[in-house]
Amino acid sequence: MTDGPLQSSGRILAIDVLRGIALLGIVVVNASIFGRPLAELVGGGIDAGSLADRLTRLFVVVVAEFKFVSLFSLLFGFGLAMQRQRRLAAGRSFAWFGVRRMVILGIFGMIHAIAIWYGDILFIYAGIGLLILPLLQLGGTTRLVLGILAIGWSTLAIAGLNGLTLAMQVPPDPSTVDTSLRGWDAVFSASFDPSHPNWIAAETAALASGPFLDATLFRSLTWSFSLFFAAFSFGWHMLGMALIGTWMHEVGLFGSGAADRRRRLAVSTFPLGCLLSIACGTIFWWASGSAIGVMAQSVQMISAALMAVGGAMLAARLVEAGRVPGVRILASIGRMSLTAYLLESLIFTAITVHWGLGWFGQLSITQLVGLAFVVYALVAVFCVVWTTRFRMGPMEWLWRTA
């Protein structure tokens, strides 16, 4: 590994800071999924539970849910376009280089999902990257239009899938409920339904206490479900945001001469996105399991896109003006974003699953979200110390040299 402090030459400070901010929001959203059964959290519902947990979920839904993964997707697309431009400017081919990097990223994601945590997004980003590589030859405006269309399709698909799920939802037959079942027995008795009491009980027991094979079974199955959901709905949102990111690179929105354009884009997107997100949170508070709740889940995708675009422009303006506190810390995390993301997962799973403290299912949502800030602080310390000694993070080095 190359020694010496990580250099900022050739990097865009605002992009590194935005990646650091995005990773904070992502770990806050993921915190509940690290420590609670997924069936308790899907659908955006915050109309049940303790007041503290409901308020915490309201905060997460309005401020963070889908917003920061949208931001990270935007930055992912920007990074791909920037890498392509720099390699072509140096007279080097980008096609095979890009494919190789996406394949390696997909391998990282598969290992992460099966061995550590099923909520992995690296595998999905690898697929998105492979789709984007040929599209980078199109004009920037064409990619912007394709990105908006992808987000629109995702919004409609999420409404359709959630509406279908709501229409088909029936209470489990009491005669099939046996929460003492474990592993495949629980999966088959639940008819592969993660919301069935048998599944929830077996998943909680496997992740909190083991054995390893049962925990791996539930991680693998839930990851498979998430890939299906991504392929037919939310993955298109991530693709759309990434395409918008490539357009931002094309038009130089993070350049030094784009301050006015950033201001106009922030003003036209961020306030509207915030209002829509607050409206969705209000609906989830009172009526999540209804037709209007299903509609709100789709509107939330639009609010996430608007807040991600506007927030990126606003943060870039603040970075340029030197008004972002802790900019060096955030930039250090952003420069090691792959390492930081995986380290967040590793620390959180060490707290919640059987090979660590085994607290899965025991911590409240409020405790988990509070713990997310502690985990992020630990990751921040690691990144700051690491970047004073090495030019890139360990996983970034492995990604580049593999």
Side-chain angles (χ1 to χ4, degrees), residues 283-298:
I283 292 172
F284 293 151
W285 181 275
W286 296 107
S288 61
S290 63
I292 192 172
V294 170
M295 185 181 300
Q297 291 170 40
S298 296

Side-chain angles (χ1 to χ4, degrees), residues 11-321:
R11 302 192 67 95
I12 300 174
L13 179 61
I15 296 296
D16 287 332
V17 170
L18 282 168
R19 286 195 182 106
I21 294 172
L23 284 170
L24 172 58
I26 287 171
V27 76
V28 167
V29 173
N30 288 343
S32 299
I33 310 173
F34 277 117
R36 306 294 306 179
L38 183 63
E40 293 184 4
L41 308 168
V42 296
I46 51 178
D47 53 357
S50 70
L51 180 60
D53 280 355
R54 292 184 69 196
L55 290 173
T56 301
R57 280 286 293 147
L58 180 64
F59 165 78
V60 172
V61 165
V62 172
V63 176
E65 195 167 73
F66 297 118
K67 284 76 173 177
F68 288 96
V69 72
S70 296
L71 174 60
F72 207 75
S73 300
L74 186 152
L75 299 172
F76 177 76
F78 185 93
L80 276 179
M82 184 169 62
Q83 286 179 348
R84 178 177 182 272
Q85 180 194 55
R86 290 179 176 178
R87 284 189 69 86
L88 294 180
R92 292 183 289 177
S93 171
F94 178 74
W96 168 242
F97 170 82
V99 170
R100 181 175 65 87
R101 283 178 67 84
M102 293 305 105
V103 170
I104 295 171
L105 185 64
I107 293 171
F108 288 166
M110 186 180 300
I111 295 171
H112 177 224
I114 296 175
I116 300 176
W117 184 55
Y118 63 78
D120 170 78
I121 58 172
L122 301 180
F123 190 86
I124 298 173
Y125 276 131
I128 288 172
L130 290 173
L131 290 174
I132 286 180
L133 291 178
L135 298 179
L136 289 174
Q137 301 179 58
L138 302 176
T141 301
T142 301
R143 280 181 269 128
L144 172 63
V145 172
L146 289 175
I148 294 172
L149 290 175
I151 293 170
W153 163 252
S154 174
T155 301
L156 294 175
I158 287 172
L161 284 175
N162 289 336
L164 183 63
T165 301
L166 181 64
M168 296 177 61
Q169 195 173 44
V170 294
D173 183 349
S175 65
T176 67
V177 175
D178 182 356
T179 56
S180 66
L181 297 174
R182 296 292 179 263
W184 279 111
D185 291 336
V187 171
F188 285 127
S189 70
S191 300
F192 287 82
D193 177 7
S195 66
H196 194 283
N198 294 359
W199 179 297
I200 294 174
E203 177 188 11
T204 301
L207 294 179
S209 305
F212 173 79
L213 289 179
D214 279 6
T216 303
L217 167 66
F218 283 101
R219 273 197 302 270
S220 301
L221 288 175
T222 309
W223 180 52
S224 300
F225 294 152
S226 70
L227 289 181
F228 175 85
F229 180 75
F232 288 96
S233 56
F234 186 65
W236 291 91
H237 179 94
M238 296 170 66
L239 172 63
M241 294 303 302
L243 286 169
I244 292 174
T246 68
W247 168 76
M248 287 183 172
H249 176 269
E250 180 91 6
V251 299
L253 270 176
F254 288 96
S256 58
D260 286 341
R261 283 187 294 169
R262 287 197 297 266
R263 178 186 59 80
R264 290 195 297 269
L265 191 54
V267 169
S268 63
T269 56
F270 193 72
L272 177 58
C274 290
L275 289 174
L276 290 176
S277 188
I278 292 170
C280 290
T282 303
I283 292 172
F284 293 151
W285 181 275
W286 296 107
S288 61
S290 63
I292 192 172
V294 170
M295 185 181 300
Q297 291 170 40
S298 296
V299 174
Q300 193 181 27
M301 297 298 100
I302 299 174
S303 75
L306 293 172
M307 289 179 68
V309 170
M313 298 299 97
L314 178 61
R317 283 176 57 84
L318 294 175
V319 169
E320 188 176 54

